[in-house]
Amino acid sequence: MPNTRFTDKTRRPLNTGAGCAPSADAGGPPPPDARRESLLGAAGVGFFARPGRAEGMFCRAGPPRVNGAGRPAAAGAFPHPARTVSGRAKRVLDGGLSMDQRPTFDQTYMDVVDVIARRSTCLRKKVGAVIVVDRRIISHGYNGVVSGEAHCCDTGKCLKDLAGREDYKPCVHAEQNAICVCAKRGLAVRGGTLYVNADICLTCAKLIVSCELARVVVRRDFKGTAEGIEFLRRHGIAVELWPAGGEAAAPDAGQPVETSAAEARAGGLPAGDAPLRRAEPETLTVRYTLSEAGKPPFKATPGSAGWDICATEAVTVHPGAGVTVDTGLTVEVPPGCVLDVRPRSGLAFKQDILAFPGTIDSDYRGVVRVRLWNLGSEPYRVRPGERVAQFVLLPAPPVRWEKAAALSDTARGEGGFGSTGKS
């Protein structure tokens, strides 16, 4: 009986052949249900029952093992019959999770990176990093200032802005913090993998090469450059863009873009993947305070770009005149952004009431007031709690002005004020 399995004590046959049917003299009850038996047979797993036990156990079934001479191996060479379902089983019984649905190691560690990034104290972006050796996390880090410095999230301003110097950088990147933890604890990272959810700078790339990490998995945010990735690859570090399916953030507009294999290799993207899609934008936080009569900004619909703001007092706007209305709001705009005050289309088109456009800078902490103009012929009375304008948050990136002797030529040139025609 080359396909027969035995227990280690009774030496009774447990199953026969690839069909996984229980032996007649096994001494145990039949399988509890036909569905379980059919699933086990399809997965190449045998079912047997031990004498005196109501529940069955699992063992591997299938063709007999052979030794190097081509003869069946001895009975003692088979795996212990009490082992549970092996990795060959592709599904779990009783409606459980499919083995194919389990997250990969890379997916698991990238999920951990996203959780670690939430601990970041930076106001500009949240970055996390994890170092894995032998499939075990040995270190993690997130971006923030060095020990002893005030956190940016506590002061409400980037320390570079507080110092008034763009070159003042007291921050430590997530990759650097993760490597420093290993250095303090005496942990070797050679041959390990680093996972990170942002572009890698050149300084971090140098540390990775010097530590002899073997692999880097990165989800680009395109807020930096590919210089660090190119440096790593030049020094033999295996760099893999995440997600592996190509769903990485694109540097241009939010429409899908086709990427050729040559462009993918040049830009540090995996070649041969599906069209790239832009990742979900990062959620920014605008802090505010509110008077007793004020209302917080809110969106009229989920797809609205603007946040409506309301008046806290009753005023009358006469034809051809303007009135300033208090909103009871003070706001703290994130660094690198600006908050625009814009008119509401309903008031403008239906009542001829126009809110004067305004700009709220990131360092302004005064009360927000809206100037209303009546362009109609009838007085308009504003009620407390009525929506009078809307906020739109916009990026305000750093700009460097450069004096030039001449500007580049264009087809339009100096044409303006209707120079392009009416239609």
Side-chain angles (χ1 to χ4, degrees):
M1 293 187 297
N3 282 350
T4 303
R5 305 288 190 268
F6 298 90
T7 65
D8 54 343
K9 294 181 179 180
T10 66
R11 304 296 294 174
R12 296 185 181 185
L14 304 176
N15 57 23
T16 57
C20 302
S23 175
D25 57 349
D33 61 80
R35 175 176 175 271
R36 173 171 294 189
E37 182 179 0
S38 64
L39 289 177
L40 288 170
V45 178
F47 181 92
F48 70 91
R50 282 188 176 180
R53 293 189 62 178
E55 293 295 331
M57 300 185 71
F58 306 111
C59 72
R60 187 189 299 262
R65 285 179 140 187
V66 295
N67 55 23
R71 295 187 297 273
F78 289 106
H80 195 281
R83 286 186 177 177
T84 57
V85 179
S86 70
R88 293 174 58 193
K90 293 302 181 184
R91 63 181 81 176
V92 176
L93 303 177
D94 302 326
L97 182 68
S98 167
M99 299 289 285
D100 295 331
Q101 293 176 325
R102 293 178 63 202
T104 63
F105 282 105
D106 284 349
Q107 177 66 69
T108 302
Y109 298 139
M110 288 304 294
D111 289 346
V112 174
V113 164
D114 290 334
V115 174
I116 297 299
R118 292 162 53 187
R119 286 283 303 164
S120 169
T121 62
C122 181
L123 298 176
R124 301 192 176 191
K125 62 179 181 179
K126 308 293 183 182
V127 183
V130 163
I131 296 179
V132 174
V133 176
D134 295 332
R135 292 184 176 178
R136 295 294 182 268
I137 297 176
I138 66 169
S139 176
H140 68 266
Y142 49 86
N143 60 324
V145 297
V146 298
S147 300
E149 289 275 3
H151 294 305
C152 298
C153 61
D154 293 335
T155 62
K157 295 194 68 175
C158 178
L159 295 187
K160 291 192 293 186
D161 298 333
L162 290 175
R165 293 168 47 196
E166 188 63 24
D167 61 340
Y168 180 68
K169 299 180 180 180
C171 57
V172 182
H173 291 185
E175 307 95 306
Q176 298 169 2
N177 271 324
I179 293 173
C180 286
V181 168
C182 293
K184 289 190 292 186
R185 296 180 178 177
L187 300 175
V189 301
R190 183 177 185 181
T193 301
L194 183 138
Y195 296 82
V196 64
N197 64 343
D199 287 329
I200 300 174
C201 72
L202 187 58
T203 301
C204 290
K206 294 176 183 177
L207 286 175
I208 292 171
V209 172
S210 299
C211 292
E212 298 184 3
L213 285 161
R215 180 170 172 258
V216 172
V217 180
V218 55
R219 182 172 65 235
R220 295 199 61 191
D221 59 358
F222 294 99
K223 294 182 179 179
T225 67
E227 184 181 21
I229 293 176
E230 294 168 359
F231 182 88
L232 292 174
R233 286 176 170 162
R234 285 201 308 269
H235 288 78
I237 306 296
V239 180
E240 296 180 23
L241 273 294
W242 185 263
E247 293 183 9
D252 17 61
Q255 300 299 324
V257 294
E258 298 288 345
T259 305
S260 66
E263 291 172 335
R265 287 190 296 269
L269 302 175
D273 286 325
L276 304 182
R277 293 196 296 254
R278 189 174 183 87
E280 288 296 323
E282 180 185 359
T283 300
L284 300 176
T285 300
V286 179
R287 303 173 64 189
Y288 69 92
T289 62
L290 200 61
S291 65
E292 292 184 3
K295 288 185 177 181
F298 64 94
K299 283 189 174 184
T301 63
S304 299
W307 300 74
D308 292 336
I309 53 177
C310 304
T312 59
E313 54 188 343
V315 296
T316 300
V317 189
H318 295 281
V323 173
T324 301
V325 182
D326 196 337
T327 66
L329 278 168
T330 61
V331 295
E332 183 178 316
V333 180
C337 297
V338 63
L339 199 60
D340 269 10
V341 180
R342 298 186 179 183
R344 290 193 62 244
S345 59
L347 280 178
F349 279 91
K350 296 178 182 179
Q351 307 295 339
D352 289 328
I353 301 297
L354 187 68
F356 191 81
T359 298
I360 301 177
D361 300 308
S362 61
D363 55 354
Y364 177 70
R365 296 295 182 269
V367 177
V368 176
R369 295 180 175 86
V370 178
R371 185 72 173 175
L372 298 178
W373 293 90
N374 189 341
L375 304 180
S377 56
E378 299 291 335
Y380 182 81
R381 182 169 180 80
V382 178
R383 303 183 306 274
E386 181 178 352
R387 294 178 291 170
V388 292
Q390 59 180 327
F391 283 153
V392 176
L393 187 67
L394 299 173
V399 176
R400 180 173 62 89
W401 293 86
E402 179 179 324
K403 184 178 180 180
L407 303 179
S408 59
D409 292 331
T410 65
R412 180 173 180 174
E414 298 181 4
F417 301 105
S419 62
T420 58
K422 292 185 176 181
S423 61

